């Protein structure tokens, strides 16, 4: 039993590899849960095969270097019957395997050969990934009828326990242990969270049903019930008031959530500018992350698709549709094609009413083809789904280019298990989920990725019920008897933390302008700690939809947030003064609670320096689109010309192939900015005839506002005024020192500090 995102594919591969060469094992078969993952898993296995040198033999065992992901049931039957492939690792689905076995049995019977009988008598080991979705208990029994000597191992991130066991169906297994036997190893989602290999979830529960409307509905039903035949209206209302939220929601029928009004409320919540800005992680006006919307049926998925298309058909839809909720100052959404949306489902999901749905789906695929320049059809549904996978995952180079991605994919079941896309940040849920299905779906968002701190979940049905479901599922699958740390604090809890942090900063620095780098080290540390906690609590708060609702109407909250912007300049100066002291061999104070170079960036606006780094990572020679994005980001961040020139030099060097394309971009960046600093210092030394090493000592220690300039005496003492006089005949000894100091401060403030800042 392994948790979601634990590397089950790699673990199952290593297990399969070892079993395939173990004496007494005739064949190993890796079974996966969907046809569209067949090629994906085969590709992953092939990659692992090359990386881990799977061709090594052990003793007399045959080397198992062959990975087979067969293209059809007929091909699979030939592979199974062939002695030449007995040590191959076979990757397949239940459906394909059953078809292959039936085909092999029929063909061999017609030929009168014994190959099929030999096959079914073999000891075959099955490795089943996503072991409940890939294979039901009933499906396993059918395969066991073919292979009575088989051994089974199951991998799952969401095992089925007694508390959520399947419905009774004859003597079939109802739990994971019933179906696969004793647990061999457990690595829970709590373990993964503690290891830092997955992220936690921020969960919001939106309600599209007005409370009064729900109470009135319950009142109408109770007043007609025999139990309350003699009760007064007040008595019935008191009964309703005493109900829990879950009890009230039990009166809501599914059709309420299938009305146009519900769909409209949901999409307006999703695409309200400030909500979309955080949920899709807009930077420099463009979405950096994607989202999945899961619905209760394919019909609902299509209705959502058409509703979103209708709302966004006007090029100026964002401003017109949300005139009452404009995006906040400092943020921008400038992508004219946002949102790029698609629907994906498996053919099995669409078996019911398939014919009636075909015409509508053809039109949806046509929209997709027109935008992306593809040529998919209903006949190539598997490849269409695969294309969506690639655009959502953005792993291959061609799909990393902006505009090639999908921003929102609408699904029912597909992609909610086993699909790995770190760029998916948000899951919108308009259906009921619980236990295994809930954790599986939520885990599409919790893969680690640069700049991503948590998976964002927004539910739109029965908020009290879903809140209960989340608590029960996270408790079960983290094996925590207490409240799990897997789910982030609620908005109310996050706001309480922010308020406390704001109060603390005001206590530490009633007047921020009076704090500077000359204060005592204790005062500076206290201020930096208080500011970092305020900023961290703000970051935890700002991703909630409820924050966007409240900040619009609450002047007090606006003022408290403004404190961050008003204090950030002083914070950077004071933190800078502590950096030098922290780097001393024997610092005077404890700096352990201060984050100097981590993720504690101040993110009040839609881009920051880390965004430029991300663009540099994706830059390829002469890529005008990315180059324009970098220029735009530099302008928005108001970078000095000296900094812009260095970034342009980096891009030119990449264009001209002057740097190794395999070199880490951050090493390249450090080299270029270090060279620019050294060049500026060398130029100053040559102009004023002072020693470069003394200038370097000064530059390392300097923080804007330092008076006197660090090491200025040694710089002056290193001068060669006679040589300076030769170049500047009118120079006066008494005027040389003050003017040199003035010019050095200008170089420090306008050149050295900005360049050094890019390396922080």
């Amino acid at each position: 039993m392994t948790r979601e995102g634990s590397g089950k594919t790699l673990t199952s591969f290593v297990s399969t590899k070892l079993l395939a060469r173990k004496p007494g094992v005739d064949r190993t078969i890796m079974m996966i849960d969907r046809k569209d993952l067949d090629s994906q898993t085969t590709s992953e296995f092939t990659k692992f095969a090359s990386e881990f040198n799977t061709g090594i033999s052990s003793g007399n065992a045959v080397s198992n270097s062959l990975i087979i992901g067969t293209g059809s049931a007929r091909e699979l039957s030939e592979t199974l019957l062939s002695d030449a492939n007995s040590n191959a690792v076979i990757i397949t689905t239940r459906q394909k395997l059953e078809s292959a076995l039936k085909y092999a049995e029929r063909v061999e019977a017609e030929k009168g050969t014994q190959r099929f009988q030999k096959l079914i008598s073999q000891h075959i080991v099955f490795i089943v990934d996503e072991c409940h979705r890939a294979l039901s208990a009933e499906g396993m029994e059918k395969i066991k009828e073919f292979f009575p000597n088989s051994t089974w191992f199951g991998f799952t991130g969401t095992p089925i326990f007694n508390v959520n066991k399947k419905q009774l169906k004859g003597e079939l297994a109802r739990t994971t242990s019933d179906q696969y036997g004793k647990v061999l190893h457990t690595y829970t989602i709590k373990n993964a969270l503690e290891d830092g290999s997955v992220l936690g979830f921020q969960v919001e529960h939106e309600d599209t049903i007005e409370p009064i409307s729900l109470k009135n509905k319950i009142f109408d039903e109770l007043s007609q019930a025999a139990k309350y035949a003699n009760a007064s209206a007040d008595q019935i209302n008191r009964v309703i008031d005493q109900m829990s939220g879950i009890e009230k929601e039990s009166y809501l029928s599914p059709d309420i959530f299938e009305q146009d009004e519900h769909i409209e409320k949901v999409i307006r919540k999703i695409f309200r500018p400030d909500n979309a800005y955080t949920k899709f992680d807009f930077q420099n006006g463009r979405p950096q992350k994607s989202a999945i919307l899961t619905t209760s049926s394919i019909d609902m998925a299509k209705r959502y698709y058409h509703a979103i298309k209708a709302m966004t058909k006007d090029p100026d839809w964002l401003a017109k549709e949300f005139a009452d909720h404009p995006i906040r100052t400092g943020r921008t959404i400038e992508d004219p094609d946002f949102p790029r949306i698609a629907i994906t489902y498996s053919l099995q999901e669409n078996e019911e009413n398939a014919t009636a749905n075909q015409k509508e789906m053809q039109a949806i695929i046509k929209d997709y083809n027109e935008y992306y320049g593809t040529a998919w059809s209903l006949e190539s549904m598997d490849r269409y789904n695969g294309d969506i996978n690639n655009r959502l995952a953005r792993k291959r180079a061609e799909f990393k280019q902006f505009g090639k991605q999908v921003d929102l994919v609408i699904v029912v079941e597909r992609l909610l298990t086993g699909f790995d896309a770190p760029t998916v940040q948000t899951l919108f849920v308009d259906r009921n989920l619980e236990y295994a299905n809930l954790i599986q779906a939520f885990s599409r968002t919790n893969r680690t990725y640069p700049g991503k701190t948590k998976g964002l979940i927004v539910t739109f049905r029965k908020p009290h019920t879903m809140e209960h479901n989340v608590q029960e599922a996270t408790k079960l699958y983290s094996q925590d008897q207490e409240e799990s740390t897997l789910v982030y604090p609620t908005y109310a809890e996050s706001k309480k933390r922010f308020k406390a942090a704001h109060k603390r900063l005001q206590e530490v620095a009633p007047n921020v302008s009076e704090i500077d780098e000359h204060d005592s080290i204790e005062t500076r540390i206290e201020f930096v700690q208080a500011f970092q906690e305020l900023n961290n609590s703000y970051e935890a708060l700002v991703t909630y939809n409820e924050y966007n609702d409240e900040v619009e109407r609450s002047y007090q909250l606006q003022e408290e947030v403004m404190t961050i912007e008003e204090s950030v300049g002083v914070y950077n100066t004071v933190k800078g003064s502590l950096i030098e002291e922290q780097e001393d061999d024997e610092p005077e104070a404890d700096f352990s609670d201060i984050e100097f170079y981590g993720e504690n960036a101040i993110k009040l606006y839609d881009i920051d320096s880390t965004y430029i780094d991300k663009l540099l990572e994706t830059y390829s020679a002469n890529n005008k689109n990315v180059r324009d994005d970098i220029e735009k980001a530099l302008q928005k961040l108001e970078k000095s010309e000296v900094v812009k020139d260095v970034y342009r030099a980096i891009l030119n060097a990449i264009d001209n192939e002057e740097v190794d394309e395999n070199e880490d971009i951050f090493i390249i960046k450090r080299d270029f900015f270090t060279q620019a600093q050294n060049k500026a210092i060398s130029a100053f030394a040559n102009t004023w005839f002072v020693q470069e090493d003394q200038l370097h000592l000064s530059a390392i220690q300097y923080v804007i506002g330092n008076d006197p300039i660090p090491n200025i005496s040694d710089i002056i003492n290193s001068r060669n005024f006679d040589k300076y006089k030769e170049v500047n005949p009118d120079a006066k000894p008494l005027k040389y020192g003050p003017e040199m100091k003035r010019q050095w401060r200008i170089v420090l403030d306008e050149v050295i500090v900005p360049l050094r800042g890019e390396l922080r």
Side-chain angles (χ1 to χ4, degrees):
M1 178 176 74
T2 53
R3 54 84 188 166
E4 281 299 303
S6 64
K8 291 191 293 296
T9 302
L10 175 56
T11 306
S12 61
F13 166 72
V14 174
S15 303
T16 307
K17 177 190 100 152
L18 294 172
L19 287 165
R21 65 191 192 196
K22 185 177 178 63
V25 174
D26 295 309
R27 293 182 183 276
T28 55
I29 297 176
M30 172 76 179
M31 193 171 292
I32 57 176
D33 78 333
R34 285 188 305 276
K35 186 177 178 182
D36 58 286
L37 287 180
D38 198 336
S39 60
Q40 178 182 324
T41 307
T42 303
S43 174
E44 291 292 304
F45 267 37
T46 304
K47 181 178 72 174
F48 294 145
S50 62
E51 290 177 356
F52 294 94
N53 191 20
T54 60
I56 296 175
S57 298
S58 175
N60 296 322
V62 181
S63 167
N64 65 307
S65 59
L66 183 61
I67 308 295
I68 296 178
T70 53
S72 68
R74 182 173 295 188
E75 289 177 28
L76 177 57
S77 71
E78 288 300 321
T79 300
L80 290 168
L81 293 170
S82 172
D83 288 335
N85 293 319
S86 62
N87 262 85
V89 173
I90 297 173
I91 305 167
T92 189
T93 62
R94 174 190 61 80
Q95 295 90 339
K96 192 186 294 184
L97 178 62
E98 287 181 357
S99 297
L101 290 172
K102 290 175 183 176
Y103 177 81
E105 184 177 21
R106 177 171 57 82
V107 169
E108 292 300 297
E110 291 172 356
K111 291 181 178 179
T113 57
Q114 298 298 311
R115 290 196 304 171
F116 184 75
Q117 293 303 318
K118 180 182 177 182
L119 170 65
I120 62 176
S121 68
Q122 290 179 336
H123 178 206
I124 296 184
V125 175
F126 286 91
I127 305 290
V128 189
D129 191 29
E130 300 294 351
C131 66
H132 289 294
R133 289 186 178 274
L135 189 65
S136 67
E138 188 173 13
M140 180 188 282
E141 292 303 316
K142 287 182 180 179
I143 295 174
K144 282 182 175 180
E145 289 176 6
F146 279 102
F147 299 113
N149 297 326
S150 57
T151 301
W152 296 79
F153 295 93
F155 287 82
T156 178
T158 49
I160 299 173
F161 299 103
N162 280 322
V163 70
N164 61 321
K165 61 187 176 184
K166 296 179 180 179
Q167 288 184 343
L168 182 64
K169 190 175 182 181
E171 296 182 2
L172 292 174
R174 301 177 67 189
T175 67
T176 304
S177 59
D178 290 343
Q179 187 170 345
Y180 290 93
K182 184 180 178 181
V183 174
L184 297 178
H185 179 262
T186 299
Y187 182 71
T188 70
I189 198 165
K190 179 185 178 185
N191 300 141
L193 191 64
E194 291 169 348
D195 290 345
S197 53
V198 298
L199 305 173
F201 305 117
Q202 171 189 293
V203 186
E204 300 175 75
H205 303 291
E206 298 280 4
D207 195 352
T208 63
I209 308 298
E210 294 296 330
I212 295 299
S213 174
L214 176 55
K215 287 182 178 180
N216 289 343
K217 176 179 173 57
I218 298 171
F219 183 92
D220 290 342
E221 288 197 31
L222 293 185
S223 60
Q224 295 174 32
K227 181 179 179 180
Y228 298 101
N230 298 319
S232 67
D234 286 343
Q235 288 173 324
I236 293 175
N237 278 323
R238 278 196 295 273
V239 170
I240 296 171
D241 289 340
Q242 290 170 6
M243 288 182 179
S244 68
I246 294 176
E247 285 181 279
K248 291 174 184 173
E249 288 169 355
S250 67
Y251 286 85
L252 292 171
S253 58
D255 64 291
I256 289 179
F257 299 106
E258 295 176 0
Q259 297 175 6
D260 290 341
E261 182 183 2
H262 171 74
I263 293 174
E264 181 71 13
K265 286 181 178 180
V266 170
I267 64 174
R268 293 192 69 81
K269 273 289 185 181
I270 292 173
F271 294 108
R272 174 178 166 174
D274 281 310
N275 293 351
Y277 180 86
T278 54
K279 297 303 188 286
F280 294 90
D281 187 25
F282 272 79
Q283 295 179 34
N284 204 24
R286 293 178 171 182
Q288 304 303 306
K289 305 290 192 309
S290 296
I292 294 173
L293 166 62
T294 178
T295 67
S296 56
S297 66
I298 291 176
D299 180 62
M300 281 293 288
K302 291 175 180 176
R303 288 176 63 192
Y304 267 110
Y305 177 87
H306 292 306
I308 294 170
K309 283 290 187 181
M311 186 177 75
T312 61
K313 64 182 179 181
D314 189 315
D316 198 27
W317 69 273
L318 205 60
K320 292 179 178 178
E321 290 287 337
F322 297 96
D324 295 337
H325 302 288
I327 195 165
R328 293 205 300 279
T329 303
R331 295 176 166 185
T332 55
I333 294 180
E334 298 174 351
D335 177 5
D337 293 332
F338 177 78
R340 298 162 188 79
I341 63 173
I343 292 179
T344 180
Y345 54 79
S346 66
L347 294 177
Q348 291 88 347
E349 287 180 88
N350 197 40
E351 285 172 352
E352 188 177 347
N353 300 321
T355 303
N357 288 330
Q358 281 188 358
K359 187 175 181 181
E360 189 177 7
M361 196 62 205
Q362 281 175 337
I364 290 172
I365 294 176
K366 182 173 181 288
D367 288 346
Y368 185 92
N369 288 336
E370 287 176 354
Y371 182 80
Y372 291 109
T374 50
W376 311 122
S377 64
L378 288 175
E379 290 70 31
S380 59
M381 194 72 176
D382 287 338
R383 297 177 67 191
Y384 162 76
N385 285 340
D387 194 62
I388 291 174
N389 287 9
N390 288 328
R391 295 183 188 282
L392 191 60
R394 309 187 204 183
K395 290 183 178 180
R396 289 162 50 181
E398 61 189 290
F399 299 114
K400 289 182 179 180
Q401 184 178 345
F402 182 78
K404 300 293 186 181
Q405 85 283 1
V406 177
D407 298 313
L408 178 69
V409 176
I410 308 172
V411 307
V412 181
E413 297 291 347
R414 192 174 175 273
L415 301 184
L416 297 186
T417 62
F419 179 67
D420 184 35
T423 50
V424 171
Q425 174 172 272
T426 303
L427 175 71
F428 300 109
V429 182
D430 186 30
R431 57 183 294 192
N432 184 58
L433 291 172
E434 56 184 349
Y435 291 119
N437 290 338
L438 184 148
I439 293 295
Q440 289 270 18
F442 281 22
S443 294
R444 297 318 102 210
T445 70
N446 74 342
R447 303 312 199 249
T448 59
Y449 190 77
K452 183 177 170 185
T453 59
K454 53 192 170 184
L456 306 179
I457 314 294
V458 187
T459 74
F460 294 101
R461 294 193 184 191
K462 300 185 177 182
H464 295 95
T465 303
M466 282 301 297
E467 183 177 18
H468 172 77
N469 291 355
V470 170
Q471 290 171 351
E472 292 301 303
T474 53
K475 186 186 296 183
L476 180 65
Y477 288 108
S478 62
Q479 295 192 351
D480 250 350
Q481 297 308 309
E482 304 300 326
E483 186 176 351
S484 172
T485 56
L486 179 62
V487 177
Y488 275 72
T490 64
Y491 174 74
E493 293 165 338
S494 298
K495 188 173 77 169
K496 185 177 180 181
R497 176 190 172 192
F498 176 76
K499 294 278 188 181
H502 182 268
K503 181 180 179 182
R504 175 60 182 158
L505 183 66
Q506 290 199 314
E507 291 171 352
V508 170
N511 188 345
V512 172
S513 62
E514 293 179 359
I515 299 285
D516 61 29
E517 68 276 17
H518 302 301
D519 279 305
S520 69
I521 193 167
E522 292 78 15
T523 299
R524 284 179 285 155
I525 288 175
E526 197 172 26
F527 171 73
V528 169
Q529 288 175 337
F531 182 89
Q532 288 187 348
E533 170 58 14
L534 179 64
N535 183 61
N536 288 339
S537 63
Y538 170 74
E539 287 298 314
L541 191 70
V542 74
T543 49
Y544 283 92
N545 291 350
E546 200 170 340
Y547 167 80
N548 295 322
D549 294 336
E550 186 170 356
V551 79
E552 267 192 359
R553 61 178 186 266
S554 172
Y555 177 75
Q556 181 181 357
L557 185 56
Q558 292 171 20
E559 288 288 297
E560 289 167 347
V561 172
M562 188 61 67
T563 301
I564 301 175
E565 185 171 357
E566 292 170 345
S567 306
V568 67
V570 174
Y571 162 74
N572 285 328
T573 299
V574 173
K575 187 180 77 167
S577 72
L578 292 175
I579 289 173
E580 306 300 339
E581 302 200 38
Q582 183 258 347
E583 292 174 349
D584 287 347
D585 291 337
E586 296 183 6
E588 297 178 21
D590 180 9
F591 295 95
S592 59
D593 290 332
I594 294 180
E595 190 175 356
F596 285 108
Y597 302 113
E599 296 294 325
N600 196 270
I602 312 307
K603 299 175 183 174
L604 291 171
Y605 298 97
D606 69 342
I607 60 171
D608 55 25
S609 294
T610 60
Y611 176 68
I612 298 175
D613 292 341
K614 291 177 188 175
L615 290 174
L616 282 174
E617 280 190 288
T618 63
Y619 186 73
S620 55
N622 300 299
N623 187 322
K624 187 177 185 303
N625 288 336
V626 177
R627 193 178 188 115
D628 289 346
D629 286 346
I630 291 173
E631 283 287 351
K632 191 175 179 182
L634 292 170
Q635 294 293 341
K636 283 193 174 183
L637 286 171
E638 299 181 352
K639 296 290 186 183
S640 64
E641 283 303 316
V642 67
V643 168
K644 292 177 186 176
D645 288 343
V646 178
Y647 279 113
R648 290 165 186 151
I650 294 173
L651 298 177
N652 291 339
I654 296 173
D655 290 346
N656 299 326
E657 299 182 355
E658 296 170 3
V659 296
D660 184 353
E661 64 178 7
N662 296 317
E663 184 68 274
D664 188 292
I665 191 63
F666 297 106
I667 293 175
I668 295 171
K669 178 180 171 181
R670 180 167 289 279
D671 288 345
F672 271 78
F673 276 94
T674 300
Q675 290 172 22
Q677 286 187 75
N678 293 341
K679 185 177 179 181
I681 289 172
S682 181
F684 189 89
N686 292 334
T687 299
W688 290 91
F689 293 89
V690 293
Q691 292 180 9
E692 285 189 38
D693 58 343
Q694 299 300 334
L695 293 173
H696 276 287
L697 285 172
S698 176
I700 290 170
Q701 301 174 64
Y702 182 75
V703 176
I704 289 179
N706 272 161
D707 193 18
I709 297 172
N711 205 44
I712 192 63
S713 297
D714 288 340
I715 294 173
I716 293 173
N717 290 336
S718 73
R719 71 189 182 281
N720 188 329
F721 184 76
D722 291 339
K723 286 190 175 182
Y724 180 80
K725 178 82 172 174
E726 289 175 12
V727 179
N728 302 278
D730 296 332
K732 307 294 182 187
L734 293 177
K735 291 185 178 181
Y736 170 89
E739 182 61 18
M740 188 274 288
K741 284 194 291 184
R742 191 175 74 83
Q743 292 300 325
W744 178 230
R745 184 181 291 278
I746 291 173
V747 171
L748 288 168
D749 288 348
E750 299 181 4
V751 180
I752 302 300
V753 170
L755 291 174
R756 189 176 64 196
E758 296 305 302
L759 300 178
R760 293 298 188 193

